[in-house]
Amino acid sequence: MHDTALVLFSGGQDSTTCLAWALQRYRHVETIGFDYGQRHAVELECRTTVLERLRAEFPSWAQRLGTDHLLDLSLLGQVSDTALTQPKAIELAASGLPTTFVPGRNLLFFTFAATIAFRRGLAVLVGGMCETDYSGYPDCRDNTLKALQVALSLGLATPVVIETPLMWLDKAATWVLAQQLGGPELIELIRKETHTCYLGERGELHPWGYGCGRCPACELRRRGYEAFVGGSSPAHPSAPGNEVAP
Ligand code: ZN
């Protein structure tokens, strides 16, 4: 029965939208987050606030929202040299990937999530990975995650389903999806409580949320929000299986 899910939930815009998508769709939903020595603890603080507000302000979702799991993955900071965990510039490295790339991060995240889902009897793993306006991270690609779904299903000898509802949406369409799922209340919650900025900046509230306004993550979020508000970017046609639940 695919009516229970574990959502990879970081406290950002994408994973919060994915969590709302899962709460609309599944009978029981749990969340998992990873503490891997992020340069800024603000992301982990945001996820607590978002969960609290979802429980308080969305009663029909609150009854479906179960345990939150926070895993200490500090070893990821030890084995990788990245701008997310080290004080270094966010730029394109010689590999052609941004210095924010943590090699294999999503492979590890999903594998740990699958281990917890197995123990908790949760059938579906949900992640906010996206190929549309991503930074080229190869572990965000649809084929990578489909291959991982097969590997996990074989390795655990149980059907593991990985759902990525944002895979073919751009940032504006992600706001549209949030609007469809939770109306203006969810838009406000995402705007104010989720965190995207690579620099951990939360001083000033812009129309699109908090952030430095200059790092690649803020740029993407700002452009997406402006397109959403301006109505110039209708939702992309959904890929099969990515329809919005009624
Ligand atoms: Zn920023």
Side-chain angles (χ1 to χ4, degrees):
M1 283 279 281
H2 288 135
D3 61 354
T4 57
L6 179 61
V7 178
L8 275 65
F9 177 61
S10 70
Q13 175 189 353
D14 290 347
S15 66
T16 300
T17 307
C18 281
L19 177 54
W21 178 89
L23 287 167
Q24 191 86 316
R25 198 179 188 94
Y26 302 108
R27 177 179 57 81
H28 177 77
V29 176
E30 300 190 3
T31 47
I32 182 168
F34 303 96
D35 183 352
Y36 55 98
Q38 292 95 319
R39 262 161 82 180
H40 307 285
V42 56
E43 201 177 285
L44 294 176
E45 291 164 17
C46 283
R47 67 190 296 288
T48 309
T49 310
V50 171
L51 287 175
E52 281 171 3
R53 286 194 56 177
L54 283 175
R55 284 184 208 282
E57 296 166 33
F58 296 84
S60 63
W61 291 349
Q63 57 193 4
R64 298 176 168 195
L65 183 55
T67 311
D68 179 41
H69 310 268
L70 185 63
L71 242 60
D72 178 0
L73 277 194
S74 49
L75 70 105
L76 196 54
Q78 295 167 30
V79 298
S80 69
D81 175 27
T82 156
L84 290 188
T85 52
Q86 310 286 332
K88 62 195 289 187
I90 297 170
E91 58 196 11
L92 276 189
S95 63
L97 287 165
T99 49
T100 47
F101 177 57
V102 181
R105 178 173 52 167
N106 289 323
L107 305 181
L108 292 171
F109 283 4
F110 270 115
T111 303
F112 278 107
T115 307
I116 298 230
F118 185 89
R119 174 163 62 80
R120 303 283 298 167
L122 304 168
V124 181
L125 306 177
V126 182
M129 297 76 204
C130 168
E131 259 196 48
T132 308
D133 42 21
Y134 73 151
S135 307
Y137 299 171
D139 58 341
C140 287
R141 289 183 187 141
D142 194 44
N143 277 344
T144 305
L145 298 177
K146 286 199 161 75
L148 186 60
Q149 171 176 287
V150 174
L152 290 171
S153 296
L154 291 171
L156 296 173
T158 190
V160 174
V161 175
I162 295 181
E163 290 279 7
T164 51
L166 310 186
M167 184 57 76
W168 310 111
L169 304 183
D170 63 16
K171 288 286 175 196
T174 300
W175 284 108
V176 171
L177 176 61
Q179 169 109 327
Q180 289 166 345
L181 290 165
E185 294 81 8
L186 185 61
I187 295 291
E188 268 313 278
L189 193 159
I190 290 175
R191 205 172 71 84
K192 289 198 181 130
E193 308 294 1
T194 67
H195 186 78
T196 304
C197 178
Y198 280 145
L199 302 180
E201 178 60 50
R202 282 190 80 73
E204 187 189 344
L205 179 63
H206 308 276
W208 44 269
Y210 289 99
C212 73
R214 293 176 303 280
C215 77
C218 281
E219 270 284 301
L220 203 56
R221 179 162 168 154
R222 180 182 60 74
R223 282 206 308 267
Y225 186 78
E226 287 172 358
F228 164 63
V229 173
S232 60
S233 178
H236 283 208
S238 294
N242 283 331
E243 77 282 1
V244 177

